[in-house]
Each structure stands twice: as C-alpha cells, then as structure tokens.
Amino acid sequence: MPDRTVVMGVLNVTPDSFSDGGRFLEPATAIARGKALAAAGVDIVDVGGESTRPGAGRVPVQVEIQRVVPVISELTSVDILCSVDTTRAAVADAAVRAGAVIVNDVSGGLADPEMGAAVADTGVPWILMHWRGHSADMDALARYDDVVAEVGAELLDRVTAAVAAGVDESRLVLDPGLGFAKTAAHNWALLRALPRFTGAIGDSGWGFPVLIGASRKRFLGALLADERGLRPADGRESATTAISALAAAAGVWGVRVHEAEPSLDAVRVAAAVSGRGPQRRLLRADGSSWTDHRSGAESTSERTTVRPEHTTDGMPAAVTGG
C-alpha cells in the first residue's frame, strides 16, 4: 500500500471553540482526549489554547501557554506526537520545549513578527495557513477577484518571509485556510483547486506539502442546511469525511479533523484507489513518515513528487479504469 495522507486530530483546550469549546478545557480532560485520539489512530494531536472561530476574542499569552503546555508535556511523555496550534512566538517556543514537534500557525506568521525567528530557532516544521486578519474581523476581509490565485500568491509571500527569517523551506507546509476570511463559495473554489495546489495535475503546484482543515466548518453546515437552519457542527462528520477522502485523492499531505476513525478510513481508501499517497511528504528526523507511529524528536521534511497517469478530467487512472 502507498503511504497515506496524515491525519491530525484537533484538541481544543479552550472554552469557546466552535465545535467542542469547553469540553476539553481542563488539563485532565484534554489529556484523556489526546490519548483517545492517538489510540484511535491519529498521527499527530494538534493542541490549541485559543479559539480561532469567527468572532472569537484573544486570550492573554500566559493563559494560552498554561492551557497547552501541560497537555503537550503529558502527551509527548507517552510518545504521542503533538503539534501546537498558535499564532504567538512565545507559545510556540514554550510548546516546543514541552515536546511539540510542529508549529501550526493559522496566521502564517502575520500575527506575531517574532514567530519566524522563533520557529527558525526551534528547527521544527511550520504550517503556514492563509490568513488576512484575526477572528473578530476576518469575515469582513473575504474579498477576492480570484480566490485561487490570490490565496496562492499570498501564501507564497509568507514562504518568502519565513525563509528570510531563517526557516528552511523544506520544513514548510501550506494550508489554504478554509473558513478564514473566506465565504462558502471561496472554500469550494479552493477545494476544487486542490489537485493544482498539490501538483497532482498541471505543473508542480505550490511546491510544498499541503494541509486541509475543513472539519465541521460552517460552510459544510450551510451546504447541509434544511428548514431548521445550518446543520449543527456535530452533524457535519460525514461531510468532513468526504472532504478527507477527496483531499487525500488530490494529493494533500494532511487533513486536520475532530474525529479520527472516519477520516483515517477515508484517506486509506483514497490511497488504495489512487495508488499513491501525498504528492509531497514531510518526513521526520529519522526519515520515517508521520504515519509510521515511531517515536522521534525533531522533525525534518523532504518533498517528493509522484506523478501518476491521469485521465483528461484530472482523476487518477485507477479511479476511472483508464
């Protein structure tokens, strides 16, 4: 079987995240949830201490550190790989010291001018998400002439800034930022363009591993709405699973989800049908995949391009029988 897409499990140590805010705010509960996600098969537990839902306010930096560090420390002590979901250099540094092996920055380095240098100092991979402003203001910033072109250009600007700050570009992962300063139409356009971003069709795409975070987001609730209104967050899991499968088939490196098993099944099916894994892979320091579930400390990345035969509609030949 080919290597499959990485599955990151969301762990919100917050009182106000849109899907599960408050459920895992207490350290003991958060640690138990992280262990449950790992037992269910996620490759990386993504620990965040500040909600980034639309309209959310900011929390003091020390509060964010106090939320994430004990959880990361405990989970990594039992060989569970963790990333930290933060836009702040001080939080990223504290989390890496506690054992986090990836910094997942929804601002792509824009929220904190010190983040680039902090990540360069730690040497861990950095996920750069497309971002135009903080949660309280981002809906007003969803204005594009060509969302696919503009998101790509703005992300590659963040790559340039990261490299200028001293980060090795081989340690970067790009995320188009579904739901962040995006309307539902923008999100669907970006998802349709995934094979172009990954390089599964066309040229080399963005040239970096790609992460997708669609799990339970509002645009899925709108798609599934009925006379009662938006489908609630906990009723969007099937749609999330469908996107995990489609994203994996498009060659993304990872998907970030709230529930492990459905998306793990989805990315395994996608790998079996397409006959390939991610277009570009982020490897760990020992050269192993994040899906190998072997312990390792500091991470490094290696980009590998695989170009299977495609039919004229861009789907892998294994899908269409070609």
Side-chain angles (χ1 to χ4, degrees):
M1 286 290 293
D3 192 18
R4 60 165 173 80
T5 292
V6 167
V7 176
M8 297 179 72
V10 177
L11 179 53
N12 294 317
V13 191
T14 63
D16 57 346
S17 293
F18 80 93
S19 177
D20 52 16
R23 291 181 60 196
F24 311 117
L25 181 59
E26 295 302 319
T29 308
I31 291 164
R33 176 59 176 170
K35 289 179 178 179
L37 285 168
V42 300
D43 304 301
I44 303 162
V45 176
D46 190 41
V47 183
E50 181 178 55
S51 174
T52 53
R53 63 173 174 78
R58 306 228 62 193
V59 302
V61 63
Q62 285 303 320
V63 171
E64 190 180 350
I65 289 172
Q66 289 164 9
R67 288 175 179 175
V68 302
V69 164
V71 176
I72 291 170
S73 180
E74 178 62 26
L75 293 178
T76 57
S77 75
V78 292
D79 295 326
I80 295 172
L81 295 174
C82 291
S83 54
V84 61
D85 177 2
T86 186
T87 63
R88 288 167 161 154
V91 179
D93 180 69
V96 172
R97 291 177 185 276
V101 292
I102 297 176
V103 173
N104 180 16
D105 180 357
V106 302
S107 81
L110 286 168
D112 186 341
E114 302 300 320
M115 182 65 97
V119 174
D121 286 345
T122 67
V124 302
W126 189 10
I127 298 171
L128 301 173
M129 196 193 79
H130 179 262
W131 187 85
R132 285 185 165 183
H134 288 290
S135 299
D137 309 310
M138 66 182 178
D139 283 352
L141 302 173
R143 298 189 181 94
Y144 304 87
D145 292 324
D146 182 338
V147 68
V148 170
E150 290 173 56
V151 166
E154 290 170 28
L155 270 177
L156 292 177
D157 284 345
R158 302 316 307 151
V159 169
T160 299
V163 172
V167 179
D168 186 334
E169 72 168 21
S170 70
R171 298 192 174 215
L172 298 176
V173 176
L174 303 186
D175 178 343
L178 301 178
F180 287 78
K182 317 284 190 309
T183 66
H186 295 145
N187 294 328
W188 293 119
L190 291 166
L191 285 168
R192 284 192 293 271
L194 274 182
R196 291 164 52 192
F197 297 160
T198 65
I201 62 173
D203 58 17
S204 60
W206 286 344
F208 293 87
V210 175
L211 175 71
I212 286 294
S215 184
R216 299 182 178 179
K217 287 188 174 176
R218 182 173 52 180
F219 75 103
L220 299 180
L223 176 71
L224 305 172
D226 57 22
E227 65 278 1
R228 295 167 293 181
L230 293 182
R231 177 79 64 84
D234 61 2
R236 303 171 191 170
E237 196 59 43
S238 294
T240 297
T241 304
I243 289 180
S244 292
L246 292 166
V252 304
W253 167 75
V255 292
R256 181 179 181 274
V257 298
H258 291 83
E259 294 296 335
E261 187 173 355
S263 284
L264 279 162
D265 289 350
V267 301
R268 287 176 180 132
V269 169
V273 172
S274 66
R276 60 175 171 81
Q279 286 293 109
R280 290 173 175 80
R281 296 172 174 84
L282 186 72
L283 298 182
R284 292 158 60 188
D286 63 1
S288 66
S289 167
W290 296 89
T291 62
D292 288 345
H293 290 229
R294 293 198 297 268
S295 61
E298 184 179 298
S299 314
T300 188
S301 57
E302 174 179 294
R303 292 199 296 276
T304 307
T305 301
V306 181
R307 295 191 179 277
E309 293 183 3
H310 286 80
T311 61
T312 56
D313 63 1
M315 292 297 290
V319 173
T320 60

